[in-house]
């Protein structure tokens, strides 16, 4: 009887272990629950979240600074500097030769192109939002599209004034799984960058409103684009 009980216990434990293992290895359910672009841009709330995230990269101090001892220490022409009580280490990186091109000062480049990518994706998909017609009309979709175009051009302007001529990606959404050689793009000329920014702003201005409500004061208007 004891042996029979022992065998039954082993069988029961094995069955539970096999089931648990099968459940553990079954990962399709996690991928099925992932948010897709179709889910995002057919829902106003999700689209609002995507647009807000597109703007969020503007918060990078290194992106908005043209020159400064924290994020862009190009102003150190000699050994003179000052201390306001914190973050003098950045100056030390420069004077000691420890600063490299891929360092804290390159964060603005990364933040800008992340914002540029998100803006382009929105421009290519926001027209699907009209499916959520309970809360959205064509004018609102045009405004969303124009905001994305505006902020994309604005990111280009910020890095143009900071780094000089930069690569213009345009409407391409690059596959970041590709190799560096496949993703690498040459810098455009300064005139090409300036022309692209000016043209994009003029196009965005056509569908941006003249004024914004109090709750949208931080969003671009026609005048801001022009």
């Amino acid at each position: 009887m004891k042996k029979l009980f022992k065998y039954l216990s082993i069988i029961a434990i094995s069955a539970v272990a096999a089931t648990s293992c099968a459940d553990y290895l079954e990962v399709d359910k996690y991928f099925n629950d992932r948010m897709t672009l179709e889910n995002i841009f057919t829902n106003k709330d999700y689209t609002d979240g995507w647009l807000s995230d597109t703007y969020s990269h503007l918060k990078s101090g290194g992106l908005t600074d043209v020159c400064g001892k924290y994020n862009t220490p190009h102003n150190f022409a000699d050994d003179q500097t000052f201390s306001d009580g914190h973050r003098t280490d950045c100056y030390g990186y420069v004077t000691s030769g420890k600063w490299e091109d891929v360092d804290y000062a390159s964060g603005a480049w990364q933040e800008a192109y992340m914002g540029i990518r998100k803006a382009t994706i929105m421009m290519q998909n926001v027209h699907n939002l009209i499916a959520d017609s309970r809360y959205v009309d064509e004018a609102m979709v045009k405004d969303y599209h124009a905001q994305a175009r505006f902020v994309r051009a604005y990111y280009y302007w910020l890095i143009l004034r900071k780094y000089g001529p930069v690569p213009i990606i345009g409407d391409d959404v690059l596959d970041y799984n590709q190799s560096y050689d496949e993703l690498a793009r040459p810098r455009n000329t300064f005139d090409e960058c300036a022309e692209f920014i000016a043209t994009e702003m003029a196009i965005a201005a056509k569908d941006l409103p003249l004024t914004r409500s109090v709750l949208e004061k931080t969003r671009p208007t026609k005048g801001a684009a022009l």
Side-chain angles (χ1 to χ4, degrees):
M1 190 60 142
K2 290 183 178 180
K3 289 185 177 180
L4 178 60
F5 179 77
K6 180 179 180 181
Y7 292 145
L8 290 175
S9 298
I10 293 174
I11 292 173
I13 293 172
S14 299
V16 172
T19 302
S20 299
C21 184
D23 290 342
Y24 179 75
L25 295 175
E26 180 56 56
V27 297
D28 287 345
K29 58 184 178 182
Y30 297 111
F31 289 96
N32 290 336
D33 290 340
R34 292 178 67 184
M35 188 68 69
T36 65
L37 291 179
E38 183 179 355
N39 296 141
I40 293 170
F41 293 110
T42 54
N43 180 286
K44 183 180 182 300
D45 291 337
Y46 294 151
T47 301
D48 283 332
W50 184 281
L51 181 58
S52 295
D53 190 45
T54 302
Y55 280 114
S56 69
H57 300 280
L58 293 171
K59 295 187 298 183
S60 169
L63 183 58
T64 54
D65 285 346
V66 178
C67 236
K69 67 177 181 178
Y70 298 142
N71 298 293
T72 316
H74 302 150
N75 58 323
F76 297 140
D78 52 30
D79 292 332
Q80 296 182 21
T81 186
F82 66 94
S83 172
D84 54 8
H86 65 292
R87 289 302 302 273
T88 57
D89 55 316
C90 299
Y91 171 73
Y93 288 154
V94 177
T95 56
S96 63
K98 294 180 180 179
W99 179 54
E100 299 178 0
D101 55 352
V102 184
D103 210 322
Y104 63 93
S106 65
W109 185 278
Q110 174 181 326
E111 292 289 337
Y113 276 105
M114 288 174 67
I116 287 168
R117 178 184 180 85
K118 291 174 183 176
T120 300
I121 291 174
M122 181 159 188
M123 291 169 61
Q124 294 178 355
N125 292 277
V126 73
H127 63 278
N128 294 321
L129 186 59
I130 202 68
D132 195 3
S133 56
R134 296 169 298 168
Y135 309 106
V136 181
D137 56 23
E138 186 177 353
M140 184 177 292
V141 172
K142 287 184 176 180
D143 180 32
Y144 279 136
H145 191 278
Q147 287 188 58
R149 188 184 295 276
F150 172 94
V151 74
R152 185 176 71 169
Y154 190 64
Y155 279 123
Y156 275 115
W157 178 70
L158 289 174
I159 53 178
L160 175 66
R161 70 176 189 168
K162 189 179 185 75
Y163 298 109
V166 297
I168 299 294
I169 308 301
D171 293 327
D172 292 337
V173 178
L174 304 180
D175 181 2
Y176 49 75
N177 291 312
Q178 292 180 320
S179 68
Y180 174 82
D181 290 337
E182 293 174 308
L183 289 172
R185 298 290 187 277
R187 292 186 178 215
N188 291 76
T189 66
F190 188 94
D191 287 344
E192 288 171 340
C193 292
E195 179 64 25
F196 176 82
I197 295 168
T199 300
E200 289 290 288
M201 287 295 190
I203 295 173
K206 295 179 180 179
D207 291 319
L208 289 173
L210 285 172
T211 60
R212 294 278 185 188
S213 67
V214 173
L215 296 178
E216 293 186 327
K217 282 297 184 181
T218 57
R219 298 297 172 93
T221 60
K222 189 183 298 292
L226 295 176

